[in-house]
Amino acid sequence: MSVLPLVFTSGWASGINAYAVVLLLGVFGATGVSDEVPASLQRTDVLVVVAVLFLFEVVADKIPYVDTVWDSVHTVVRPVAGAVVAALLAGESGSLPQIAAGAIGGSTALVSHLVKAGTRMAVNTSPEPFSNIALSAAEDLGVAGVVTFAIFHPWIAAAIAGTLLLLGVVILVFLASRIRRFLRRRAQRREEKRQARAAAFWPPT
């Protein structure tokens, strides 16, 4: 129970930016800010790798359409990362609490990721890139702020994460029509490219 709020919050944050979560927790543990962080997340090689991946995410997540491709790739990565981080926080390898924590972290990360990816599809229907950049920056700051807050006030941070997750789901429902329009446009562009390649390969006689 003592790590449950941190497990939930880290799962929510992992669905948005898993690399930021691992990096923040690792730094907090390595610097002695928190003793809840397992040693495996504090390793220098782990921190270096996630720092590099975090920088890639910061850039890719702010480019329209590139962010959607990035999200598609991370449909598996983020939930798995959320489950692994949650399980490590729970400790006691192979124990029932660790398995339960991994399930909570992974499922929360999956829902959070779907909200993020769906919202980003809706935003990409706008022709200007500024809303995309603003949303990405807000997500980065939100993850950093909530995870940091969770170290000192875990239950309050978990309540904030739960509220944001629920709000995201509600917003996603309202944006469903824009998301469907985005998917239709993407399918149409793929079909146009396919026809263009076919026409180039088989020129008219």
Side-chain angles (χ1 to χ4, degrees):
M1 288 295 293
S2 62
V3 297
L4 181 59
L6 185 57
V7 162
F8 179 81
T9 302
S10 66
W12 166 81
S14 294
I16 300 173
N17 192 329
Y19 305 125
V21 174
V22 176
L23 183 60
L24 282 169
L25 291 178
V27 169
F28 290 148
T31 55
V33 174
S34 173
D35 56 3
E36 298 281 357
V37 181
S40 54
L41 296 181
Q42 303 178 35
R43 291 172 43 179
T44 301
D45 56 341
V46 172
L47 293 178
V48 170
V49 170
V50 295
V52 172
L53 292 172
F54 169 73
L55 292 177
F56 276 111
E57 171 125 0
V58 167
V59 175
D61 200 49
K62 292 175 177 58
I63 303 174
Y65 300 107
V66 173
D67 60 344
T68 298
V69 175
W70 186 266
D71 285 339
S72 299
V73 173
H74 284 74
T75 300
V76 174
V77 175
R78 288 169 182 158
V80 170
V84 171
V85 170
L88 290 174
L89 289 171
E92 299 181 29
S93 180
S95 66
L96 182 60
Q98 186 184 49
I99 296 173
I104 293 172
S107 58
T108 304
L110 176 60
V111 176
S112 179
H113 164 75
L114 293 176
V115 169
K116 170 189 169 69
T119 304
R120 195 55 59 85
M121 286 183 185
V123 171
N124 280 337
T125 61
S126 174
E128 47 78 28
F130 303 109
S131 56
N132 186 289
I133 295 173
L135 180 58
S136 177
E139 290 171 349
D140 293 339
L141 292 174
V143 166
V146 174
V147 171
T148 301
F149 195 64
I151 296 297
F152 304 100
H153 305 284
W155 283 105
I156 299 177
I160 294 173
T163 301
L164 291 174
L165 183 61
L166 179 60
L167 182 62
V169 171
V170 172
I171 292 174
L172 191 60
V173 171
F174 282 104
L175 293 176
S177 61
R178 295 188 67 177
I179 294 171
R180 286 194 295 269
R181 186 163 60 249
F182 171 82
L183 293 174
R184 284 197 300 268
R185 287 172 55 190
R186 187 169 66 172
Q188 183 179 2
R189 284 196 300 271
R190 287 177 177 174
E191 179 62 21
E192 290 172 351
K193 289 180 180 178
R194 188 192 66 79
Q195 292 178 356
R197 286 195 298 267
F201 188 75
W202 298 101
T205 57

